[in-house]
Amino acid sequence: MTKFSLLPIATGCIFMASGCSSVMSHTGDYQGLYPGSKSDVNMIGSDETSWAMTPLLILDLPFSAALDTLLLPYDYYKKGSVGTLDRIKASEDHNMAISHGVDINHVPPVPAAN
């Protein structure tokens, strides 16, 4: 194979792997504005990120930032929503209060699912 036939394959692989952090961040609970870009930056600066992963994160960062910008209206709309982790924490706090004999009327209620 010549280098000209490898170029489209390499370019395709780069575009298929781009924006991964943004896509993964938007499949879960609300994580704020620009969650994919924040994730990339945090992982790039982390000592726990392997040397092999850092170049991929640097390559992914501009694509995640572009996708996060496109999804900014959606993120802004979801800004006030209560996430699953928040509901679980509130439920655990509520159950701990009940099990320790705390007056239920003074325990914050568990938020309802959206």
Side-chain angles (χ1 to χ4, degrees):
M1 292 184 126
T2 66
K3 69 178 180 177
F4 293 110
S5 62
L6 290 177
L7 184 63
I9 294 171
T11 305
C13 290
I14 289 171
F15 282 116
M16 284 176 42
S18 63
C20 289
S21 293
S22 183
V23 171
M24 290 188 318
S25 300
H26 283 93
T27 58
D29 284 338
Y30 177 75
Q31 297 181 15
L33 304 177
Y34 286 90
S37 302
K38 288 179 190 175
S39 174
D40 277 344
V41 170
N42 290 338
M43 288 179 66
I44 289 169
S46 173
D47 292 333
E48 296 179 11
T49 304
S50 72
W51 63 269
M53 190 67 169
T54 303
L56 297 174
L57 292 167
I58 292 170
L59 184 66
D60 180 64
L61 183 59
F63 296 105
S64 286
L67 188 55
D68 284 342
T69 301
L70 288 174
L71 294 172
L72 192 59
Y74 173 76
D75 289 339
Y76 187 75
Y77 171 75
K78 296 285 284 183
K79 190 174 184 179
S81 67
V82 177
T84 304
L85 294 177
D86 295 329
R87 287 193 301 273
I88 291 171
K89 173 98 172 83
S91 176
E92 288 176 349
D93 291 344
H94 185 76
N95 291 337
M96 287 298 289
I98 291 171
S99 68
H100 288 92
V102 174
D103 183 10
I104 283 276
N105 296 325
H106 295 95
V107 176
V110 177
N114 290 341

